[in-house]
């Protein structure tokens, strides 16, 4: 008569080994998933702290400005704001029947199409280029609010020559992590403060494609100081950005 042991189904050795491997792989995947979850939580906490520190920095700048203005008023003197470090330039006209040098400078500034916009560092080189193309562009000093709205609403990255929407912080970290820029708030901070990695950040971003201004832009051929649209409009550029964003 057959014993109880002889009636049990025999598991081939290869099948047993496969089950063992599968169990080990499943355990490894579970451990990796747990580790990734912990890392994700830690990164979120880190990003929150960074954003919080940036907010404190911006608020302190505002408080310092208000304090200095009040002190100047109290002493019956004038408060002179520090020179702007950041420009936002938007192209407002086409280049039909213009000098090839003007076209080349617009290409160098990455303003290939009407309503394209870019951030520039204020320096002798950029101001010199803007003098040549002033009739075709409007520019000025963007506020923190304008920088944020442009990056969050119109921000696209240049990845392998393609225009890719900024939907994931990982994309930013992969490209700019070596500069300690790992999220959208880091991008905004680096641009607004014109930080050491400003060039890398602006090269990473695709030129902003803005909408046509609500109500249109009258007198494009005239300078802003002559009730036109072209040239430097200083802090008034923020109104134009809001109108086109």
């Amino acid at each position: 008569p057959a014993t109880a042991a002889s009636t049990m189904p025999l598991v081939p050795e290869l099948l047993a080994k496969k089950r063992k491997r599968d169990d080990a792989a499943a355990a490894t995947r579970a451990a990796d998933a747990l580790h990734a979850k912990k890392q994700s939580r830690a990164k979120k906490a880190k990003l929150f702290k960074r954003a919080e520190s940036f907010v404190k920095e911006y608020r302190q700048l505002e408080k310092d400005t208000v304090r200095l203005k009040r002190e100047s008023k109290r002493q019956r003197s004038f408060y002179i704001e520090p020179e702007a470090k950041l420009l936002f330039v938007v192209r407002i006209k086409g280049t039909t029947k213009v000098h090839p040098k003007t076209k080349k400078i617009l290409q160098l500034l990455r303003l290939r199409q009407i309503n394209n916009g870019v951030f520039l560092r204020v320096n002798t080189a950029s101001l010199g280029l803007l003098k040549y193309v002033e009739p075709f562009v409007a520019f000025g000093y963007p506020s923190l609010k304008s920088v944020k709205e442009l990056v969050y609403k119109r921000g696209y990255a240049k990845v392998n020559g393609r225009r890719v929407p900024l939907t994931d912080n990982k994309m930013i970290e992969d490209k700019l992590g070596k500069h300690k820029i790992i999220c959208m708030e880091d991008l905004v901070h680096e641009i607004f403060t014109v930080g050491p990695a400003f060039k890398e950040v602006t090269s990473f971003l695709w030129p902003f494609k803005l909408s046509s201004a609500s109500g249109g832009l009258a007198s494009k051929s005239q300078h802003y100081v002559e009730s036109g649209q072209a040239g430097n409009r200083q802090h008034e550029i923020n109104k134009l950005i809001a109108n086109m964003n």
Side-chain angles (χ1 to χ4, degrees):
T3 63
S6 63
T7 58
M8 291 178 64
L10 296 175
V11 179
E13 187 179 353
L14 290 176
L15 184 58
K17 286 181 178 179
K18 182 178 182 302
R19 284 181 180 173
K20 190 175 181 181
R21 285 198 306 272
D22 290 347
D23 290 343
T28 302
R29 284 196 300 271
D32 289 345
L34 183 62
H35 180 65
K37 193 174 182 180
K38 287 181 179 178
Q39 277 193 325
S40 177
R41 284 179 181 171
K43 187 173 283 187
K44 282 181 180 178
K46 184 181 177 182
L47 293 179
F48 180 78
K49 284 182 180 178
R50 285 168 79 103
E52 205 172 41
S53 69
F54 293 154
V55 169
K56 286 181 181 177
E57 181 183 340
Y58 301 143
R59 284 178 180 168
Q60 189 59 49
L61 283 172
E62 288 178 4
K63 286 179 181 178
D64 289 345
T65 302
V66 171
R67 178 178 55 80
L68 290 169
K69 284 182 177 179
R70 285 175 178 170
E71 285 181 5
S72 299
K73 189 175 181 181
R74 196 179 302 120
Q75 296 170 7
R76 296 184 179 180
S77 60
F78 296 99
Y79 171 70
I80 300 174
E81 291 190 11
E83 289 186 11
K85 297 186 291 182
L86 178 67
L87 282 171
F88 185 73
V89 187
V90 59
R91 182 169 162 184
I92 58 172
K93 278 181 65 180
T95 54
T96 307
K97 296 180 182 179
V98 298
H99 196 280
K101 185 175 182 179
T102 303
K103 285 186 179 180
K104 184 64 178 176
I105 291 172
L106 287 169
Q107 288 175 2
L108 286 172
L109 294 173
R110 303 192 302 157
L111 298 171
R112 296 176 178 271
Q113 298 174 330
I114 295 175
N115 297 341
N116 276 179
V118 293
F119 290 109
L120 292 180
R121 186 196 302 268
V122 176
N123 56 29
T124 306
S126 61
L127 293 175
L129 291 174
L130 287 174
K131 277 186 180 178
Y132 280 101
V133 297
E134 197 167 19
F136 302 92
V137 298
F139 58 95
Y141 315 129
S143 64
L144 173 61
K145 182 174 182 285
S146 294
V147 174
K148 272 190 174 183
E149 288 179 352
L150 283 166
V151 172
Y152 276 93
K153 186 175 179 180
R154 302 276 179 176
Y156 281 76
K158 186 178 180 182
V159 180
N160 299 324
R162 294 183 299 112
R163 183 173 179 258
V164 181
L166 289 171
T167 55
D168 188 2
N169 284 331
K170 188 177 185 305
M171 184 194 308
I172 299 169
E173 188 174 6
D174 289 344
K175 289 289 182 180
L176 300 168
K178 60 186 176 182
H179 302 293
K180 297 182 180 178
I181 297 169
I182 59 174
C183 63
M184 295 286 278
E185 278 300 323
D186 287 345
L187 283 180
V188 171
H189 182 264
E190 194 69 16
I191 291 169
F192 183 66
T193 60
V194 191
F198 178 82
K199 183 179 178 182
E200 288 77 9
V201 168
T202 51
S203 297
F204 167 71
L205 290 173
W206 198 278
F208 296 92
K209 292 187 175 184
L210 303 180
S211 302
S212 297
S214 177
L217 293 174
S219 307
K220 288 184 182 181
S221 300
Q222 289 181 296
H223 198 283
Y224 185 71
V225 297
E226 300 170 339
S227 301
Q229 302 295 336
N232 188 358
R233 54 179 67 199
Q234 299 185 2
H235 296 288
E236 293 297 309
I237 191 66
N238 294 296
K239 291 181 181 178
L240 182 63
I241 292 171
N243 196 10
M244 300 178 73
N245 194 8

